[in-house]
Amino acid sequence: MLRAGLSILLLLLALPSHAQDYEREKRWADEILPALVVGDAVWLEGLGGRKFLGLFTETKEAPAAVLLVHGIGVHPDHGVIGSLRSSLADAGFTTLSIQMPVQRADAGATDYFPAAFPDAVERIRSAGQWLGAKGYRRVILLSHSMGSWMSNVYYEQTPAAPFSAWVCLGLTGGYGSLRNVHVPMLDGYGERDLPSVLRADWRRRLAIGSVPGSRQEMIAGADHFYTGKEKELTRVVDDFIRSALLREAK
């Protein structure tokens, strides 16, 4: 049943996207860039050659770069992803937070899936290649909420993903087969996360058990967006990334 579902998923993801709100992305860029304090704006190429925004913060002698993928209906400097792109740069990593596809303001998950997912997969792929071209040989994928779902689909479609580890935060449901994930994973969630995230914690824990170097971490007192728990989250993520890099070096 799972294999059949994944086959249908991949067929749906091959369909073109028609409903993305590119004007909304442009409005956000126009709002974000004049007030940007940390990092620089870069423009990367997504599906069909269309450009999308990235916020790039380069740190000298960084042990790795972190590619950050946000959740539903926000921009790359919003909420927990906006916080992490800065705090991880302060911790010594280079960060690249990218604009993921968005729909209209009142859109729900069914509006995003499957319509926006082909472009989401391409943006993750393009950003990983861009960091590689910048000379980063060790890149960590960090995703949150629907961004974690999009990242999961990216892995389903990418047998040779270039990432050294995957920090997966607030994923609703399970991971599928994980057949293309061959790097350590951090399954992170909040103690007061969404009910769907909390109900599936045991399934995710079992799934990542097959991936060496992986672990699950619950942030005490945190909600889905880690409000007020950003420092605790940064410490957990920083520790996991460094342990994954040490494991890779052995």
Side-chain angles (χ1 to χ4, degrees), residues 7-243:
S7 297
I8 293 170
L9 165 62
L10 294 177
L11 285 172
L12 287 170
L13 293 178
L15 297 174
S17 171
H18 299 290
Q20 287 176 224
D21 194 337
Y22 296 110
E23 285 301 313
R24 193 176 178 206
E25 288 189 32
K26 182 180 182 302
R27 288 194 301 273
W28 273 336
D30 290 342
E31 292 172 8
I32 294 168
L33 298 189
L36 191 63
V37 175
V38 177
D40 299 302
V42 296
W43 294 94
L44 295 87
E45 192 169 291
L47 201 64
R50 186 181 289 270
K51 299 293 184 179
F52 65 93
L53 175 64
L55 301 179
F56 181 58
T57 306
E58 191 158 30
T59 303
K60 290 183 179 179
E61 299 182 1
V66 182
L67 172 60
L68 298 103
V69 178
H70 65 71
I72 187 171
V74 294
H75 59 69
D77 200 30
H78 183 273
V80 66
I81 289 296
S83 173
L84 282 169
R85 80 173 189 88
S86 297
S87 63
L88 289 174
D90 289 341
F93 298 100
T94 287
T95 65
L96 174 63
S97 180
I98 58 173
Q99 177 66 63
M100 299 306 290
V102 295
Q103 308 284 44
R104 64 184 189 275
D106 62 346
T110 55
D111 298 296
Y112 278 80
F113 177 79
F117 274 56
D119 194 12
V121 168
E122 184 58 29
R123 291 187 188 200
I124 294 170
R125 182 173 292 124
S126 175
Q129 291 172 346
W130 188 86
L131 285 168
K134 294 284 287 184
Y136 290 96
R137 295 294 171 258
R138 298 193 292 183
V139 180
I140 310 301
L141 179 61
L142 187 154
S143 58
H144 176 246
S145 197
M146 180 170 279
S148 291
W149 184 6
M150 291 171 168
S151 298
N152 197 16
V153 172
Y154 161 82
Y155 268 111
E156 288 289 340
Q157 296 188 5
T158 310
F163 302 111
S164 297
W166 179 18
V167 176
C168 181
L169 305 175
L171 174 67
T172 303
Y175 284 110
S177 69
L178 292 180
R179 65 180 181 271
N180 292 330
V181 181
H182 307 296
V183 295
M185 294 175 56
L186 172 65
D187 179 81
Y189 67 103
E191 183 181 16
R192 298 187 292 108
D193 216 307
L194 300 177
S196 56
V197 175
L198 296 174
R199 283 196 301 268
D201 67 335
W202 66 272
R203 290 202 301 269
R204 300 194 309 274
R205 185 164 57 251
L206 287 176
I208 68 173
S210 64
V211 184
S214 299
R215 66 177 186 248
Q216 186 177 73
E217 293 274 355
M218 181 189 73
I219 306 298
D223 60 16
H224 185 62
F225 303 100
Y226 303 92
T227 308
K229 299 294 181 179
E230 294 87 354
K231 289 183 180 179
E232 291 88 337
L233 177 63
T234 298
R235 283 196 294 269
V236 167
V237 171
D238 181 37
D239 177 72
F240 171 76
I241 291 175
R242 292 184 190 279
S243 67

